[in-house]
Amino acid sequence: MNSSTTEKIKIQKADKSRIDQVDFENLVFGNVFSDHMFECDYKDGSWQTPTIRPYGSITLSPAAKVFHYGQAVFEGMKAFKDEDGKVWLFRPDQNAKRINKSSVRLAIPEFPEEIFFEALTTLVKMDRDWVKSGEGNSLYIRPFVFATQAGVGASPSTEYKFMILMSPVRAYYAGDIQVEIAEHYSRSANGGVGAAKAAGNYAAQFFPTNLAREKGFQQIIWTDASNHEYLEEAGTMNVFFRVNDTLLTAPISDRILDGVTRKSVIALAKRDNIAVEERRVLVSEIVEASKNGSLKEIFGAGTAAVISPINAFSFQNTTHNLEKQDDSYAVKFKKELTDIQRNRCEDPFNWRFEVV
Amino acid sequence: MNSSTTEKIKIQKADKSRIDQVDFENLVFGNVFSDHMFECDYKDGSWQTPTIRPYGSITLSPAAKVFHYGQAVFEGMKAFKDEDGKVWLFRPDQNAKRINKSSVRLAIPEFPEEIFFEALTTLVKMDRDWVKSGEGNSLYIRPFVFATQAGVGASPSTEYKFMILMSPVRAYYAGDIQVEIAEHYSRSANGGVGAAKAAGNYAAQFFPTNLAREKGFQQIIWTDASNHEYLEEAGTMNVFFRVNDTLLTAPISDRILDGVTRKSVIALAKRDNIAVEERRVLVSEIVEASKNGSLKEIFGAGTAAVISPINAFSFQNTTHNLEKQDDSYAVKFKKELTDIQRNRCEDPFNWRFEVV
């Protein structure tokens, strides 16, 4: 292996790339990883020895607190390659800030933003061949941090590991999806960790989601845990409802993730003079809008799925189907977003960040 | 290393015990581990090659789903040594069943109870010198299971690792503790995973608990997430309130752990003709009982802490102190429980399980 350093990061290069072994036409989301990864350990009160090394195993104590107490948070972001071979990130500042917000809520020490950026850009540059151009292709980037101190006392870890992995991906959902509105299970509560990208939030959804899948739904739209009256988010996506020509979405709260795609859609809608209401959305009003024909669209918004049209929802054992709209907002925002992400248009919001 | 097998378990013995290096008088809870550990992997749809080997590191993919989606549950139990050198477990059947209940909720495959028992008893027998007799001493046992499949798609893992670690411990809390009643943060919600010993439930409590610690409280008594009206549990303990001579405790629900110590205290109380009400307990009634003098005691009940007297609670910035009772239920139940656990009395409930 070749060794070198950037200003802050120690680099060990892989002897040989694994890229030739990868079938880029048949990728399962998040199952293949690029040649390198970033790693940085927290101990004795500071983040130490940031290192990029070949993607590979890590060795931990089985008593590491992540296994026992779930102290772990993550981010999801993507790199895109335009037709000229330039590589772009989308609003990476948002992820650098949000992982630290999540960390604070989970009693994890914050990670320095400047090392986050240097690690991210150095890693993407080194593995830029893994970013494929073309619609739907991207390099999914997974920064995450977890507790490594060995000990089964229920207290915050004194040691952590921050890592970045990268995985070439294609579209998350192949087509439109059907969802179930939660009537029994819940994702988060007031005063809980729903606003954090906490690892445990996802595990908690798998069992109810399996039950929904058995009934033919790909996702659950979560509702408030108290009375299941208000529509919240879909667990891996925020959710928008188009009633007539107005977009409705739940406001950010300590139950709902402050999604980067969500806020980008809201900004695009405002620019495009589409009314957006960030407010509590009643299940009953969406059911009513479905019945009276004013509910035109539902779509999810998230980094992995980008914009994911939802063509049916189930509530109280009744399935409500949505007709395709000629002037679909989902299609419109997906195009506007991906055009910005892939450097196919102007970037009036300064969202694009070139990796050079 | 010596290799052998039980009926089902492959055994690799440590060449040399580490027990001489351990200062048993100055143990920090859960920081020292015995010579051996148990490990069993789930893949291709079954639990494979159960193995006992020397306590040591494990190697995982950094994409293992436990780091990203928090699929992990655990149990806590203890082994005790009586004055004749016999080693006892306490109601191990409850833990074998409960870890599987937790697993189901987190979409983790259940672990066969008979392998659980064989692993547990074989491991305790091999490391029986680590179980010290004498008040407060025990060997804390930590069965746990977590997701190991490499992949950052948000779906249940197809691979898992089940392990058992053992740690010699002394008392969890040194003396009486002070608690804060939650008015903003919450631990779990209806339809959530509060009833499971899910790793993520614990990480979620660390930040609010840190805030409480800064104010001088060791623990939080959680309340319902909807309105903070009802008293629930303390996160590592169930909680009992003694009003006059009646014990009150929150009923088991999907927000509250079905604690083994909790149910044992209820059984002892019933045997001792002490009235127990398992019902929703209002914060307001406990505050009122504190004011009018009918609140005699509060105590936590859990495997790690056993019975932990709470001598003060804070609500709405007012601290309510509790006077020591000459006929303390906390002291009485702690003695009755530990006498059974340590084979110092009859065992009318058949709770003790000798490891021979």
Side-chain angles (χ1 to χ4, degrees):
Chain A
M1 275 185 294
N2 271 313
S3 283
S4 63
T5 50
T6 67
E7 195 184 340
K8 299 188 188 66
I9 301 171
K10 193 176 142 205
I11 296 175
Q12 302 171 337
K13 274 195 86 174
D15 292 329
K16 192 175 176 312
S17 174
R18 286 180 288 97
I19 198 164
D20 294 341
Q21 301 160 29
V22 176
D23 176 2
F24 282 87
E25 299 303 310
N26 295 291
L27 294 166
V28 175
F29 191 95
N31 276 17
V32 168
F33 295 91
S34 72
D35 287 323
H36 298 92
M37 65 183 190
F38 173 75
E39 194 175 13
C40 187
D41 288 325
Y42 183 92
K43 59 178 172 180
D44 303 327
S46 70
W47 291 102
Q48 301 185 0
T49 326
T51 303
I52 288 175
R53 65 171 175 95
Y55 175 82
S57 301
I58 55 174
T59 297
L60 292 171
S61 165
K65 291 201 177 192
V66 65
F67 301 125
H68 303 270
Y69 303 123
Q71 257 191 307
V73 301
F74 70 94
E75 273 301 319
M77 49 203 306
K78 281 178 175 170
F80 307 93
K81 188 171 276 177
D82 68 21
E83 296 308 317
D84 298 330
K86 290 181 181 164
V87 175
W88 304 88
L89 296 169
F90 183 71
R91 308 186 75 175
D93 56 310
Q94 300 293 317
N95 304 95
K97 283 185 179 33
R98 192 173 60 183
I99 198 166
N100 283 337
K101 273 192 196 167
S102 297
S103 287
V104 167
R105 182 60 183 84
L106 276 286
I108 295 171
E110 294 173 76
F111 192 73
E113 280 189 39
E114 86 261 23
I115 309 183
F116 181 95
F117 272 99
E118 188 168 341
L120 183 66
T121 52
T122 307
L123 197 56
V124 172
K125 262 184 281 183
M126 286 173 65
D127 287 352
R128 62 180 296 136
D129 291 347
W130 292 79
V131 197
K132 298 297 181 189
S133 62
E135 201 58 49
N137 293 327
S138 63
L139 186 65
Y140 182 80
I141 302 169
R142 170 56 58 90
F144 62 114
V145 53
F146 57 93
T148 54
Q149 185 201 356
V152 297
S155 60
S157 180
T158 56
E159 298 175 6
Y160 297 87
K161 191 182 280 293
F162 182 99
M163 299 189 78
I164 304 177
L165 307 180
M166 305 200 300
S167 172
V169 297
R170 293 171 70 87
Y172 195 77
Y173 292 113
D176 291 5
I177 64 169
Q178 291 80 45
V179 301
E180 187 177 41
I181 293 179
E183 295 169 62
H184 172 70
Y185 291 102
S186 65
R187 175 183 173 274
S188 70
N190 287 328
V193 296
K197 279 190 89 72
N201 287 345
Y202 296 78
Q205 297 179 58
F206 290 161
F207 175 72
T209 304
N210 282 349
L211 297 180
R213 274 175 204 269
E214 285 167 15
K215 292 184 266 178
F217 305 103
Q218 284 82 38
Q219 288 258 309
I220 291 170
I221 297 184
W222 296 103
T223 49
D224 66 287
S226 298
N227 300 307
H228 302 289
E229 279 179 311
Y230 295 100
L231 293 155
E232 308 219 311
E233 59 156 279
T236 60
M237 307 186 290
N238 296 104
V239 182
F240 287 83
F241 304 88
R242 175 184 173 190
V243 176
N244 292 318
D245 289 341
T246 299
L247 273 184
L248 310 178
T249 194
I252 295 311
S253 73
D254 55 3
R255 299 192 307 271
I256 296 182
L257 192 77
D258 183 12
V260 178
T261 311
R262 175 190 179 279
K263 69 174 76 168
S264 303
V265 165
I266 292 170
L268 289 169
K270 287 181 176 165
R271 180 196 66 175
D272 299 345
N273 294 313
I274 290 171
V276 186
E277 296 178 10
E278 291 180 70
R279 64 162 172 84
R280 301 211 291 179
V281 182
L282 280 160
V283 179
S284 58
E285 71 178 295
I286 296 303
V287 168
E288 184 53 34
S290 167
K291 286 181 182 163
N292 70 27
S294 60
L295 179 68
K296 304 298 182 192
E297 295 181 76
I298 307 177
F299 58 88
T303 294
V306 195
I307 301 291
S308 190
I310 292 167
N311 65 14
F313 72 92
S314 168
F315 179 67
Q316 291 180 343
N317 295 315
T318 302
T319 298
H320 299 253
N321 293 295
L322 282 83
E323 282 175 34
K324 277 248 179 297
Q325 300 294 315
D326 289 336
D327 69 336
S328 163
Y329 285 2
V331 170
K332 172 189 167 68
F333 290 129
K334 183 168 187 178
K335 181 172 188 321
E336 290 181 359
L337 259 183
T338 53
D339 280 354
I340 292 176
Q341 289 172 334
R342 295 169 186 281
N343 190 30
R344 293 188 299 223
C345 68
E346 291 303 302
D347 177 21
F349 303 100
N350 273 313
W351 286 341
R352 266 196 310 259
F353 179 90
E354 189 179 356
V355 179
V356 282
Chain B
M1 276 184 294
N2 271 314
S3 283
S4 63
T5 51
T6 66
E7 194 183 339
K8 298 186 189 66
I9 300 171
K10 195 176 141 202
I11 296 175
Q12 301 170 336
K13 274 195 86 174
D15 291 329
K16 191 175 176 313
S17 175
R18 286 180 287 97
I19 199 165
D20 294 340
Q21 301 160 28
V22 176
D23 176 1
F24 282 87
E25 298 304 308
N26 294 292
L27 294 166
V28 175
F29 191 95
N31 277 17
V32 167
F33 295 90
S34 72
D35 286 325
H36 298 92
M37 65 184 190
F38 173 75
E39 194 175 12
C40 187
D41 288 327
Y42 182 92
K43 60 178 170 180
D44 303 327
S46 70
W47 291 102
Q48 301 185 0
T49 325
T51 303
I52 288 174
R53 65 170 174 96
Y55 174 83
S57 301
I58 55 174
T59 297
L60 291 171
S61 165
K65 292 201 177 192
V66 65
F67 300 126
H68 304 270
Y69 303 122
Q71 257 190 306
V73 301
F74 69 94
E75 274 301 320
M77 49 203 305
K78 282 178 175 170
F80 306 93
K81 189 171 274 178
D82 69 22
E83 296 308 316
D84 298 330
K86 290 182 183 164
V87 175
W88 304 88
L89 296 169
F90 183 70
R91 309 187 74 175
D93 55 310
Q94 299 293 318
N95 304 95
K97 283 185 180 34
R98 192 173 60 183
I99 198 167
N100 284 337
K101 274 193 197 168
S102 297
S103 286
V104 167
R105 181 61 184 86
L106 277 286
I108 296 171
E110 294 173 75
F111 193 73
E113 281 188 39
E114 86 263 22
I115 309 183
F116 181 96
F117 272 98
E118 188 168 339
L120 183 66
T121 51
T122 307
L123 197 55
V124 172
K125 260 185 279 182
M126 286 173 67
D127 287 352
R128 62 179 299 135
D129 292 346
W130 292 78
V131 197
K132 298 297 181 189
S133 61
E135 199 60 46
N137 293 328
S138 63
L139 186 65
Y140 182 79
I141 302 169
R142 168 57 57 90
F144 63 115
V145 53
F146 58 94
T148 54
Q149 184 201 357
V152 297
S155 60
S157 181
T158 56
E159 298 175 6
Y160 297 86
K161 191 182 281 292
F162 181 101
M163 300 189 77
I164 304 177
L165 307 180
M166 304 200 300
S167 172
V169 297
R170 294 171 70 87
Y172 195 77
Y173 292 113
D176 290 6
I177 64 170
Q178 291 80 44
V179 300
E180 187 177 40
I181 293 179
E183 295 169 63
H184 172 70
Y185 290 102
S186 64
R187 176 183 172 273
S188 71
N190 286 328
V193 296
K197 278 188 90 73
N201 287 345
Y202 295 79
Q205 297 179 58
F206 290 160
F207 175 73
T209 303
N210 281 349
L211 297 181
R213 274 174 204 269
E214 285 167 15
K215 292 185 266 177
F217 305 102
Q218 285 81 37
Q219 288 258 310
I220 292 170
I221 297 185
W222 296 104
T223 49
D224 67 288
S226 298
N227 300 305
H228 303 289
E229 279 179 312
Y230 295 99
L231 293 155
E232 308 219 310
E233 59 156 281
T236 59
M237 308 186 290
N238 296 105
V239 182
F240 287 84
F241 303 88
R242 174 184 173 189
V243 176
N244 292 319
D245 290 340
T246 299
L247 271 184
L248 310 178
T249 195
I252 294 310
S253 73
D254 55 3
R255 298 193 307 270
I256 296 181
L257 192 78
D258 184 12
V260 178
T261 311
R262 175 190 178 278
K263 69 175 77 169
S264 303
V265 165
I266 292 170
L268 288 169
K270 286 181 176 165
R271 180 196 68 177
D272 299 344
N273 293 314
I274 291 171
V276 185
E277 296 178 12
E278 291 180 71
R279 62 162 172 86
R280 300 212 290 179
V281 181
L282 281 161
V283 179
S284 59
E285 72 178 295
I286 296 304
V287 168
E288 183 53 36
S290 166
K291 286 180 182 164
N292 70 27
S294 60
L295 180 67
K296 304 297 183 192
E297 294 181 77
I298 306 177
F299 59 87
T303 294
V306 195
I307 300 292
S308 190
I310 292 168
N311 65 16
F313 72 92
S314 168
F315 179 67
Q316 292 180 341
N317 296 315
T318 304
T319 297
H320 300 253
N321 292 296
L322 282 83
E323 282 175 33
K324 277 249 179 295
Q325 301 294 316
D326 289 335
D327 69 337
S328 164
Y329 285 3
V331 170
K332 170 189 169 69
F333 290 129
K334 183 168 186 180
K335 180 172 189 319
E336 289 180 1
L337 259 183
T338 54
D339 280 354
I340 292 176
Q341 288 172 334
R342 296 170 185 280
N343 191 28
R344 293 189 299 223
C345 68
E346 291 303 300
D347 176 23
F349 302 100
N350 272 314
W351 286 340
R352 265 195 312 257
F353 180 88
E354 189 179 357
V355 179
V356 282

